Amino acid sequence: MNGIEYFALVAIGLFVVSFLLGSIPFGLIISKVFYHTDIREHGSGNIGTTNAIRTMGKVGGYAVFVLDFGKGLLSGVLAGVASSMIVGQGIEANALANPATLLGIAFLACTWGHIFSPWLKFKGGKGIAVAVGCLFMTFGPLGACLELLIFIVLVVATKRVSIGSIASAAAVPFFAAYYFLFATFAPLAWVFCSIAGLTVVWAHRENIKRLRAGTESRIGDKKKDRA
């Protein structure tokens, strides 16, 4: 087995493991085990943090966030392990086969696993908490915090969580371009990160429709928030 074949094998394995990691529906698990309810039957029906807070309160909701965020962090750790395996085989990095590419693969796979969970008939959350966890490993703390800043500023300014979520996800290709096309040249990493970010935007398609129609809920509205 040559170096390219070995890298491809490691990359495929990383994708599968990260996808399965991302697919763990912590929102549903916590709601059923600790609150004896199905989060999908409340609010927006989403298994993510926003609906978890609405359904289970702050303790349950923040627990979901931490666990989903942790999935993203762990996928980055797995990418680091995969990189070590490549280095251990003495394979020299190039523009396509490199640690950044593996980070991009883990980011995409974990995000897709969360959004298209096979345990929930390929439905899931919208990927924000998972993606942020991934970004702390993929872009590093500075890039991830800048993404969070976009989210926080827009949520505070508009009182709509969906706007902050969509904008921060849409910014991913631009941050990825800086890190993986300019700071270093890893075009596949840019492709994988961009697909992941745009998938999160796609997962908010119903929010986008409501925003265009002017019916999207604001934080604090008496009617049910939807996110």
Side-chain angles (χ1 to χ4, degrees):
M1 182 181 296
N2 60 37
I4 295 299
E5 291 173 338
Y6 184 78
F7 182 88
L9 183 63
V10 170
I12 291 170
L14 174 64
F15 185 93
V16 171
V17 174
S18 295
F19 181 88
L20 292 175
L21 172 65
S23 73
I24 302 172
F26 284 120
L28 179 60
I29 292 171
I30 290 176
S31 72
K32 286 199 168 186
V33 173
F34 297 101
Y35 293 86
H36 309 294
T37 188
D38 188 330
I39 190 175
R40 297 171 297 179
E41 297 174 354
H42 302 274
S44 65
N46 191 269
I47 65 169
T49 301
T50 302
N51 199 44
I53 293 174
R54 180 185 309 128
T55 303
M56 300 179 285
K58 292 182 178 180
V59 173
Y62 293 156
V64 172
F65 174 82
V66 169
L67 290 169
D68 284 346
F69 178 86
K71 292 192 298 190
L73 284 178
L74 184 54
S75 72
V77 172
L78 292 173
V81 173
S83 296
S84 297
M85 294 171 63
I86 299 300
V87 172
Q89 291 294 313
I91 299 172
E92 293 187 9
N94 55 55
L96 300 180
N98 56 63
T101 297
L102 294 174
L103 282 170
I105 289 172
F107 178 18
L108 177 60
C110 193
T111 303
W112 273 6
H114 182 77
I115 295 173
F116 307 111
S117 175
W119 318 117
L120 304 178
K121 298 180 179 179
F122 294 97
K123 297 179 181 180
K126 296 184 180 179
I128 290 296
V130 172
V132 172
C134 291
L135 290 180
F136 268 91
M137 303 300 292
T138 307
F139 292 168
L142 177 59
C145 286
L146 289 174
E147 283 274 5
L148 278 174
L149 182 62
I150 293 172
F151 173 83
I152 293 169
V153 168
L154 288 176
V155 171
V156 170
T158 67
K159 303 299 182 183
R160 290 187 171 102
V161 174
S162 59
I163 290 180
S165 300
I166 294 164
S168 56
V172 168
F174 300 98
F175 279 92
Y178 169 75
Y179 284 108
F180 302 130
L181 295 182
F182 301 107
T184 187
F185 190 64
L188 283 182
W190 175 77
V191 170
F192 294 139
C193 291
S194 297
I195 293 173
L198 294 176
T199 302
V200 174
V201 174
W202 173 85
H204 286 80
R205 61 197 181 281
E206 294 301 323
N207 301 88
I208 294 172
K209 289 179 182 178
R210 291 194 293 269
L211 285 167
R212 295 181 67 180
T215 59
E216 181 73 325
S217 300
R218 294 174 182 267
I219 295 173
D221 282 353
K222 291 184 179 180
K223 63 182 179 178
K224 293 180 179 179
D225 296 327
R226 289 166 292 189

